Structure formats: C-alpha cells, structure tokens
Amino acid sequence: MQRALLFLSFIYFISCQPSFQIKVKNGHGYTVTDTMLTRPERYMPFDAEAGYYICYIGPDTGRIAIGKPLRRYNIRDTHSCCVARTFGGNEMTIRVDTAATQIQIEHFSLNHDTAGPYRITDSIVPYRAMMVTLQNISDSAIYLGSHNFLKYMWLEIRNGKNEWIQLEKPSGWNSYCGTGAPHNYLHPRDILIAKFPQYEGEYTAEYRLVWQKPHQPKIISNEFVAPVNSFMLNVVELQIGGPRY
C-alpha cells in the first residue's frame, strides 16, 4: 500500500510539472537561467512600437536569474563619480540571443461595470521572446535612460537591396516627461539583460538591433534571423523607418 501511494504521488508530481524546460545559457564567466515557466504563448502583433523590457542589471559573474521585467519603480542603481552620457561601440556592445524564451507583458484596459463606473483591469499575456545583452566594456559608468525598458533601441531589417531599414520607433524616444522610473546606469564590465517579444510572421528575415541616443553614434548588434510578416515587408518596401536622428 505504501509503495502504491509513493508511486501515485510520483505520477502526480511529474504530471504537474511544466513541460517547458527552463533555459540555461553559459556566458563568459556567468550562467543565465531563465526562470520564466511558460503558459500557452503567442507572437506579438507588429505595431512599429519598440519595447525591450529590462530583466537584469549587474555584474556578469555567477548565476543570473532572469524572468519577469524589473518593476518600474524599484531602485536599481546609483551613479558613480564618472558617468558617460555620450558613447559608442567602443564603450558598449549589444548581443542578441535567438534561443526561445518568453516574456509576460501586462496589459491594462478600462472596463465599464453596469453596476458602477469604469474600472481599470489588467491581464498578463505571455509572448515568445528573444534575449538581448548589453555590456559596458569601458572604464566609466554609462547612462541608459530612466525606464524599465531600453530607451533609444529599435529593430532594423535587411531588404532585397542589402539595405538596413528601420522598422520601429525607438523605444521611449519621445518620453521626455518624468516617469518616476529610476535611472539606469551600467557600471564598467556590468551587463544588462532585456527581453523583447518576437513578432508573428509567415516568413523569416535578417534583423539587427540598433541603440542610439539623439545625435550620438549608433551601436549595432549582431545580425540574426527571425519571423517577418506581410505588413512588415510593406514597411520595408516603402522604406518607412519612423523618426530618424
């Protein structure tokens, strides 16, 4: 009887475990563990608005657990005595990892209750995502903005003429008002890990990420392959790239 109960407990235990395996990526001296256990997921519809949600800021040593985006108003970091606000590829690198991961994004809406006034409701939707890592390779802290997502980042796609076309408005490019979010400083040799949703698409194309503050040098990621849909291809054909600096 005892053996039977143990066997049934074991079957119950394994049946309740998620089928998704937590992703582990080994870096140079550190290990990234994606703690996000998936639910049924979807691709993000393309709307030309960039969103690269920050999951980690800190040293590139030991085991780093990422999952949900950092909370918007948590205190993340403080600046050092020397902060670079203008910099290029000699101070920061960008690397995209296309291994499957997931990000859960909160959506808010106003619902009207027949028994009362409008009320705010929210839901969390899981999307397929990719991981982007920024690393400070300089000797000074660098300033990245004041949001829980990467400002000044956007996606580019290579067209049939071997040209790179900007697909999105840079993330937070017009956010000049105070948000209450903490400032993001990347200290020397530290890394920032963010996730960005994959767009739905029936084709594939070559992409790259670009980070650029207004009137500063571009910092460009590695090239990678990801889904593309007809609407995005129309953007490429028309060569509409959103605001350019």
Side-chain angles (χ1 to χ4, degrees), residues 7-227:
F7 178 74
L8 291 174
S9 299
F10 175 74
I11 295 298
Y12 174 80
F13 176 78
I14 63 173
S15 65
C16 292
Q17 299 307 301
S19 59
F20 178 82
Q21 292 183 351
I22 296 177
K23 300 295 181 181
V24 177
K25 175 181 172 56
N26 293 317
H28 298 288
Y30 63 95
T31 300
V32 174
T33 303
D34 191 341
T35 61
M36 187 64 68
L37 298 177
T38 66
R39 298 181 296 173
E41 59 187 8
R42 64 187 75 179
Y43 285 100
M44 173 73 78
F46 177 73
D47 62 1
E49 294 284 347
Y52 301 88
Y53 298 88
I54 299 171
C55 296
Y56 173 81
I57 301 176
D60 62 341
T61 56
R63 181 173 290 271
I64 300 169
I66 62 173
K68 295 181 179 179
L70 296 179
R71 292 180 61 85
R72 183 182 300 272
Y73 303 111
N74 280 1
I75 296 175
R76 287 192 209 125
D77 212 348
T78 56
H79 65 80
S80 61
C81 61
C82 302
V83 178
R85 294 178 180 265
T86 301
F87 48 87
N90 293 325
E91 290 79 25
M92 185 173 76
T93 61
I94 303 172
R95 182 74 186 175
V96 176
D97 184 355
T98 58
T101 184
Q102 187 187 79
I103 188 169
Q104 295 181 1
I105 299 176
E106 295 182 3
H107 294 269
F108 298 91
S109 62
L110 287 175
N111 285 345
H112 181 62
D113 191 339
T114 55
Y118 282 95
R119 55 193 174 85
I120 298 177
T121 61
D122 64 272
S123 62
I124 298 177
V125 180
Y127 295 100
R128 290 178 60 86
M130 290 180 286
M131 191 173 75
V132 54
T133 303
L134 281 64
Q135 183 165 29
N136 182 354
I137 57 175
S138 74
D139 295 326
S140 301
I142 57 179
Y143 177 66
L144 298 176
S146 57
H147 280 274
N148 65 329
F149 54 83
L150 284 174
K151 293 184 70 174
Y152 315 119
M153 180 79 80
W154 68 82
L155 188 66
E156 291 189 344
I157 186 172
R158 191 197 300 271
N159 66 9
K161 298 180 181 179
N162 208 32
E163 302 168 327
W164 288 101
I165 306 301
Q166 183 177 332
L167 277 178
E168 302 170 317
K169 290 181 180 179
S171 184
W173 73 280
N174 59 351
S175 300
Y176 297 117
C177 299
T179 64
H183 297 293
N184 296 318
Y185 297 95
L186 195 57
H187 287 252
R189 308 304 164 184
D190 278 7
I191 60 175
L192 180 151
I193 300 176
K195 289 183 179 181
F196 62 102
Q198 290 190 32
Y199 295 122
E200 59 185 353
E202 59 270 30
Y203 315 106
T204 57
E206 291 184 331
Y207 294 92
R208 69 183 186 184
L209 290 182
V210 175
W211 192 93
Q212 183 183 31
K213 293 179 71 174
H215 314 297
Q216 292 194 17
K218 283 185 177 181
I219 303 176
I220 299 172
S221 77
N222 57 302
E223 300 171 13
F224 58 96
V225 175

